[in-house]
Amino acid sequence: MKLLLVSNGNLAQGLYMAMEHFYYKPDIDYIILRDSDKKEYIAEIEAYMKKNCMEDILVLCDAYGSTAFNEIVVLINKLERTKSVGVICGMNLPMVFKIYGLKDMWSLTSIKSFYKNSEKQGVIVYSPKVKKDRKFLLKINIPI
């Protein structure tokens, strides 16, 4: 399973750099959204998803409802990867460490289930539902 960190600003990069202090070249990827390059961010995410189309991908995102999160959800639906790409929001360093240790032993479904009831701690697992996704996509002006 691939692990991708995404954020508005440098959080994803900072978490990756923290992981480098403990693991030599950790098998984690990150993509950050800066204010001025939304199109570039979308292109990077889309290229990443297409490059890793045969693998499950777990995306850890900074915040539910952020632009980084919204664009991930749009692309997951556009590329029809709702079953092979999971998104967990509220990423933090302990979470990245834990998931990094589990990613090759647990399935995408197992990791999502583990965090499913963590909303009180600020962690939200994105769970696609046809009705919910349709309303969400229409709300942010994506034709379906």
Side-chain angles (χ1 to χ4, degrees), residues 78-89:
K78 176 183 170 187
L79 300 173
E80 298 179 357
R81 298 282 312 267
T82 56
K83 295 201 187 308
S84 61
V85 177
V87 181
I88 299 177
C89 301

Side-chain angles (χ1 to χ4, degrees), residues 2-20 26-33 41 44-45 48 57-62 68 72 86 88 91-93 95-97 99-100 103:
K2 300 297 282 181
L3 183 57
L4 175 64
L5 311 178
V6 299
S7 65
N8 295 285
N10 295 323
L11 178 62
Q13 181 181 20
L15 291 173
Y16 177 83
M17 290 170 63
M19 293 295 289
E20 281 185 313
D27 184 23
I28 300 173
D29 300 303
Y30 68 89
I31 300 174
I32 57 176
L33 171 64
Y41 171 80
E44 274 187 76
I45 296 289
Y48 184 87
I57 300 171
L58 179 59
V59 179
L60 300 182
C61 189
D62 56 354
I72 288 285
I88 299 177
M91 74 173 166
N92 55 62
L93 189 58
M95 174 192 286
V96 175
F97 267 100
I99 290 175
Y100 187 72
K103 74 180 186 65

Side-chain angles (χ1 to χ4, degrees), residues 117-135:
N117 296 318
S118 299
E119 287 188 17
K120 289 180 183 175
Q121 287 83 32
V123 175
I124 299 173
V125 176
Y126 170 70
S127 177
K129 306 237 183 320
V130 177
K131 265 184 162 176
K132 188 177 180 183
D133 281 351
R134 183 175 176 79
K135 285 180 184 177

Side-chain angles (χ1 to χ4, degrees), residues 18-19 24 26 33 50 53 68 71-72 85 88 97 102-103 110 114 121 138 143-144:
M19 293 295 289
Y24 178 72
L33 171 64
K50 288 178 178 178
C53 65
E71 296 303 332
I72 288 285
V85 177
I88 299 177
F97 267 100
L102 297 174
K103 74 180 186 65
S110 298
F114 181 80
Q121 287 83 32
L138 289 172
I144 49 176

